[in-house]
Amino acid sequence: MAILTAKHQSWPIAGRFTISRGTKTSCETIIAEITKGDIKGRGECVPYARYGENIENTLAEIMSFAKNIADGATKDDLQNIMKAGAARNAIDCAMWDLEAKLTGRPVWQLANLKLPKPIITAYTISLGSPDAMARQALENNHRPLMKLKLTGNGDMERVSAVHNAVPDCRLIVDANEAWSDEQVVPFSKQLKQLGVEMIEQPLPADKDDILANFDHPIALCADESAHGCADFNKLIGKYEMINIKIDKTGGLTEALKLRDMAIANNMQVMVGCMLASSLSMAPAMLIAENAHMVDLDGPLLLAKDCQNPIEFDGSLMMPASRQLWGN
């Protein structure tokens, strides 16, 4: 019989992490563990207040599935019984990890994927004043791709300062739903001149229908507007890229289906993450096959990571070790 347990884990951030919705000094995750005999599978999730999640209700939701796990529930059962979100993600990833350990086959083989290879991740520059963001970018000038957190007013000054500080770095930006309707078109044109390659979630998710009518010379990427396969079609015509995060899809199982759906509809794929430890990044890395862009820098922003963490050479991520997850 398999036993499901879950625990809260707090990870200190190196400094502060600021986006348009606020500032964090730690990231709060939940680790689900499924034990069968002396074998244990693990998965990590990040309850996100933007979607009505918190530590308490996510822990309760995870543990509500304990009897199903004890009764032999499968990953397909999980998709049918639990809604997408952080709780399902933790269980789904723990189930993949447990299956890999029980069968002796890594998750990439179980999921019929290619052997994972090192990948380049974007590095996030936290929201701040133009000078502060330029200083942070200059300190990380060795990184080839940076994502700048934006908020609306003053954003062109922020991006211009970073561009001038690190002119050879590729830049993408993330507004986290903070722009107004009137800012999208002029900001897009100005950012194009500054070499920015992509704009992530410029408008609130419930107002993004108007994006279909806006001229934007830079690709727009859906994040808060994009969750799982069921709501994918509403993105077509508004966005050229989708940010797939396993905490939104409710696990690796749905994320792989969403990735294939996006590619089949000629939409570029970005693999993203919530701020979390390497345990969250390991399954997300498997979505990166055929992805246009990867943003899995969570561990780089932490003061402390989990045991057996993913190794980074600058912004180059190495495949997860068997001691961490999925092997």
Side-chain angles (χ1 to χ4, degrees):
M1 183 179 72
I3 300 172
L4 172 64
T5 59
K7 61 183 179 181
H8 170 213
Q9 178 74 55
S10 183
W11 306 98
I13 294 171
R16 303 194 308 171
F17 182 76
T18 302
I19 66 172
S20 61
R21 280 191 283 270
T23 297
K24 292 183 176 182
T25 56
S26 68
C27 67
E28 309 303 316
T29 73
I30 293 174
I31 297 174
E33 296 181 341
I34 303 175
T35 304
K36 191 168 187 178
D38 58 355
I39 305 297
K40 181 180 296 182
R42 301 186 303 151
E44 182 180 59
C45 72
V46 182
Y48 201 47
R50 169 66 177 79
Y51 306 127
E53 299 171 336
N54 58 44
I55 295 297
E56 292 73 21
N57 64 30
T58 303
L59 277 170
E61 189 175 353
I62 290 172
M63 293 312 301
S64 72
F65 202 71
K67 185 178 185 304
N68 301 84
I69 290 292
D71 290 341
T74 66
K75 290 192 293 292
D76 287 339
D77 294 329
L78 176 65
Q79 313 305 308
N80 294 328
I81 294 171
M82 290 188 70
K83 69 181 188 299
R88 194 177 81 182
N89 173 40
I91 300 173
D92 183 73
C93 291
M95 294 177 84
W96 278 106
D97 189 33
L98 180 65
E99 183 180 358
K101 290 177 168 60
L102 289 173
T103 62
R105 298 177 62 202
V107 171
W108 64 268
Q109 286 187 355
L110 295 172
N112 296 314
L113 303 173
K114 294 179 182 178
L115 175 68
K117 298 179 180 179
I119 53 177
I120 292 289
T121 178
Y123 182 81
T124 302
I125 303 298
S126 189
L127 176 64
S129 69
D131 287 345
M133 294 181 71
R135 284 195 300 272
Q136 188 181 358
L138 194 56
E139 291 170 359
N140 290 277
N141 194 29
H142 60 289
R143 303 186 186 278
L145 176 63
M146 295 187 185
K147 180 163 88 167
L148 314 184
K149 289 293 188 177
L150 301 181
T151 191
N153 292 336
D155 280 349
M156 295 310 102
E157 291 79 7
R158 294 180 176 94
V159 179
S160 181
V162 171
H163 173 71
N164 291 334
V166 290
D168 295 328
C169 289
R170 295 170 58 206
L171 301 179
I172 57 179
V173 301
D174 183 6
N176 285 114
E177 304 182 280
W179 287 2
S180 67
D181 301 357
E182 294 77 19
Q183 290 172 325
V184 176
V185 172
F187 279 12
S188 298
K189 293 178 179 178
Q190 293 176 62
L191 291 173
K192 177 71 172 179
Q193 297 302 313
L194 292 170
V196 172
E197 299 179 17
M198 181 272 284
I199 300 169
E200 189 174 345
Q201 198 66 43
L203 297 178
D206 61 358
K207 294 184 177 180
D208 68 355
D209 284 346
I210 61 175
L211 292 177
N213 303 313
F214 281 176
D215 178 33
H216 51 274
I218 301 174
L220 299 183
C221 179
D223 182 3
E224 285 86 350
S225 291
H227 292 265
C229 297
D231 60 8
F232 173 79
N233 287 337
K234 72 178 185 180
L235 306 177
I236 297 174
K238 296 185 286 188
Y239 297 96
E240 290 75 42
M241 186 182 295
I242 179 173
N243 189 347
I244 300 177
K245 296 177 179 176
I246 57 176
D247 273 306
K248 294 187 301 177
T249 63
L252 177 62
T253 301
E254 175 87 356
L256 291 171
K257 294 177 182 178
L258 181 58
R259 182 200 64 179
D260 292 345
M261 182 179 289
I263 292 172
N265 283 274
N266 298 313
M267 186 174 288
Q268 294 177 344
V269 170
M270 178 179 186
V271 182
C273 65
M274 304 301 186
L275 193 52
S277 81
S278 286
L279 184 56
S280 285
M281 306 306 128
M285 287 185 73
L286 298 184
I287 313 165
E289 185 180 305
N290 299 321
H292 183 76
M293 204 168 284
V294 174
D295 179 25
L296 297 176
D297 64 340
L300 293 175
L301 306 176
L302 300 182
K304 177 185 177 183
D305 199 357
C306 63
Q307 290 185 338
N308 305 304
I310 289 172
E311 294 183 7
F312 288 83
D313 182 4
S315 291
L316 185 68
M317 301 179 70
M318 306 303 165
S321 68
R322 65 181 307 149
Q323 292 81 12
L324 175 62
W325 184 88
N327 284 287

